Amino acid sequence: MTLAYDWAGRVGDTWADEWRRTDLSFANLSPHLNAAILDVAPETGTAVDIGCGAGGTAIALAAARPALRVIGIDLSRNLVETARGRGAAYPNLRFEVGDASELGGITADLLFSRHGVMFFADPVAAFTRLRHGATSDAHFVFSCFRDVTLNPWAIETGSAVTGAALQKPGTSPGPFAFADADHVRAILQASGWTGDAQPVDYSYRAGEGEHAVDEALAFFSRIGPAAAQLRELDSAAREAGRERLRGVLAARLRNDIVDFPASAWIWSCRPA
Ligand SMILES: C[S@@+](CC[C@H](N)C(=O)[O-])C[C@H]1O[C@@H](n2cnc3c(N)ncnc32)[C@H](O)[C@@H]1O
C-alpha cells in the first residue's frame, strides 16, 4: 500500500465523494477493459477486483457473469461503502476493506483491476502475493496509464495552476508508476507472472452537460495533479490558479463535453 496517497484516509474519501466524476473520466476506457476481462472470465469460480474503488468494474463483471463470485477489495472504507451501495442488487458480488495484495485468504481464478495496481510500495512483493493467491491457470487483467506525455489531461491540467511544466513522474507509487511497459514486464517476471500489454488511446472525459467546464473544474480541483498544487496555495493564489485551470478546461470544450486525449495499457497476464 502507499502512504503517499493515503488511500485509506483523505484521498480515498475524496474519491468516494467524487465517484461519479472518476467513473466518467474512465467512461471511454472501461468498455475496452471490461471486454478484455470478459474475454477470460470464467462462468463460475472467484474473481477479485484489486483496488476496486467505487466498484464500477466489479459491478460490470458481476452483471455479466451471474454465477461467478466477484469480490472487490480496497483500502478505503468510504469507497467500499460506496461500492456496496452501488452493487447491492448483485447476490454474487461483495466488497471488502483491506490490502488487496493479500486477497483476504481467497484463491482467485481471475484477478482484475482498473488502475488499482500502481500504488503498491513494493510491487514485486504485492504481485508475488497475488500470484500465490491465484490458481495455476488464473488470468490477471489490469489497466494503467501509459507515459504522461501521451496523457495531455495530466500535462495540461498539471501545468495550468502554476505555469510550471509538470515533472515527469518516475516509477514510485502513483498513477504513472506502470507507464513503462518494460518496468512492468520486469515486475511480472520477478513475481511469477507473464503478460502482454495492449495500448488503448481514449478520450478522458473531465466534464459533460450544460455546465461541463464547471464540472471539470470541480473534478480537477479535488483530484489529480492540479488539485495537489491548489492545496499548497494561499486563497488568493488558489483562486488565480483555478481561473488558469478553468481556461485550460474551456479550451477543450466541444459540444458540451470537456475531453482530453489519454492513453492506457491493458495488461493480460497468466502465471508463468
Ligand atoms: C486510481 S484508484 C482506482 C479505483 C477503481 N479501480 C476505479 O477504477 O475507479 C486506485 C484505487 O486503488 C486502491 N488501492 C491502492 N492500493 C491498494 C491496496 N494495497 N489494496 C487495496 N486497494 C488499494 C485505492 O484505495 C483506490 O481506490
Side-chain angles (χ1 to χ4, degrees):
M1 80 185 226
T2 164
L3 295 177
Y5 272 80
D6 189 21
W7 284 112
R10 187 191 59 76
V11 180
D13 293 350
T14 305
W15 274 67
D17 288 348
E18 293 287 337
W19 72 265
R20 288 183 179 78
R21 291 189 180 114
T22 57
D23 259 13
L24 182 66
S25 76
F26 287 124
N28 295 312
L29 173 66
S30 293
H32 299 277
L33 176 64
N34 292 348
I37 294 168
L38 268 187
D39 256 4
V40 297
E43 294 293 335
T44 59
T46 301
V48 182
D49 185 348
I50 307 298
C52 62
T57 310
I59 292 168
L61 180 60
R65 289 282 187 279
L68 180 66
R69 188 163 72 126
V70 180
I71 302 165
I73 307 179
D74 202 280
L75 287 172
S76 163
R77 186 165 295 282
N78 280 348
L79 276 167
V80 165
E81 284 304 324
T82 304
R84 284 179 180 151
R86 295 177 71 198
Y90 300 95
N92 59 326
L93 175 63
R94 71 168 208 258
F95 293 99
E96 304 289 345
V97 179
D99 180 348
S101 71
E102 287 170 8
L103 281 179
I106 296 157
T107 301
D109 303 287
L110 169 65
L111 300 170
F112 63 99
S113 184
R114 187 177 71 181
H115 281 48
V117 295
M118 304 93 85
F119 302 92
F120 297 120
D122 184 343
V124 171
F127 273 57
T128 301
R129 285 195 293 277
L130 292 174
R131 170 65 197 91
H132 289 152
T135 59
S136 55
D137 58 353
H139 290 263
F140 186 5
V141 180
F142 61 85
S143 63
C144 53
F145 283 120
R146 293 177 73 205
D147 194 86
V148 71
T149 56
L150 302 170
N151 283 282
W153 70 269
I155 303 248
E156 291 181 22
T157 62
S159 56
V161 171
T162 63
L166 186 69
Q167 275 203 328
K168 197 171 159 65
T171 56
S172 35
F176 292 97
F178 276 24
D180 177 357
D182 288 337
H183 173 66
V184 176
R185 205 165 277 113
I187 291 169
L188 293 171
Q189 196 177 10
S191 56
W193 295 96
T194 178
D196 280 313
Q198 294 299 320
V200 180
D201 295 331
Y202 69 102
S203 293
Y204 182 114
R205 184 140 307 174
E208 64 182 17
E210 196 185 339
H211 304 292
V213 172
D214 290 333
E215 284 291 312
L217 184 62
F219 177 53
F220 282 124
S221 296
R222 297 199 74 195
I223 286 181
Q229 293 168 5
L230 286 169
R231 272 194 298 276
E232 301 298 311
L233 302 176
D234 64 38
S235 61
R238 188 178 310 130
E239 213 29 61
R242 271 171 58 86
E243 281 315 301
R244 283 193 294 275
L245 179 57
R246 180 189 289 282
V248 162
L249 301 172
R252 288 286 181 182
L253 178 68
R254 307 275 182 285
N255 304 319
D256 283 351
I257 287 171
V258 178
D259 269 356
F260 286 86
S263 194
W265 296 114
I266 294 181
W267 280 90
S268 295
C269 309
R270 305 293 305 265

